[in-house]
């Protein structure tokens, strides 16, 4: 099993999770992070570090967000690995908890 970054991360992109990942499984896009399922070792360290609860075990992804499992896998192949914590996006607080943000995803 792997962990999956879901909808709430879009336009927020907090990176507290990246700092604790022992295998550098996070990849960074313009306004979203993803986890490479081939690298994730299911250590569970990232999930509690996410301040907006955007990371879930693959089997527990919230209903209606199942497409994020494949999206994480696909985008991890395109985006660079992120290994250090960065500041979240400037307007992250404004986007926290906004539903249905997939349409705002920048590739």
């Amino acid at each position: 099993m792997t962990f999956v970054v879901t909808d709430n991360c879009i336009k927020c992109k907090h990176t507290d999770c990246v700092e604790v990942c022992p295998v550098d499984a996070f990849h960074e896009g313009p306004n979203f992070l993803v986890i490479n399922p081939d690298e994730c070792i299911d250590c569970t360290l990232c999930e509690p570090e996410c301040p907006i609860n955007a990371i879930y075990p693959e089997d527990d992804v919230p209903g209606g967000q199942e497409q994020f499992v494949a999206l994480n896998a696909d985008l991890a192949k395109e985006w660079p690995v992120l290994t250090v914590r960065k500041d979240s996006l400037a307007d992250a607080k404004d986007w926290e908890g906004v539903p249905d943000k997939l349409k705002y995803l920048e590739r």
Side-chain angles (χ1 to χ4, degrees), residues 2-52:
T2 186
F3 279 76
V4 178
V5 182
T6 59
D7 192 60
N8 207 29
C9 183
I10 296 171
K11 294 193 74 66
C12 289
K13 202 170 89 168
H14 296 281
T15 59
D16 306 64
C17 51
V18 171
E19 231 174 16
V20 299
C21 182
V23 294
D24 300 334
F26 282 89
H27 292 250
E28 179 185 26
N31 68 349
F32 185 54
L33 299 175
V34 295
I35 296 173
N36 184 333
D38 295 330
E39 297 294 328
C40 180
I41 59 171
D42 194 27
C43 70
T44 75
L45 294 174
C46 61
E47 184 182 22
E49 293 301 316
C50 180
I52 56 172

Side-chain angles (χ1 to χ4, degrees), residues 77-88:
K77 295 173 187 170
E78 300 173 22
W79 289 349
V81 172
L82 179 64
T83 60
V84 295
R85 186 184 180 286
K86 294 182 173 182
D87 291 337
S88 57

Side-chain angles (χ1 to χ4, degrees), residues 7-8 65 95-104:
D7 192 60
N8 207 29
Q65 296 194 44
W95 287 97
E96 188 175 322
V98 172
D100 303 320
K101 294 193 291 185
L102 186 56
K103 60 187 166 228
Y104 302 110

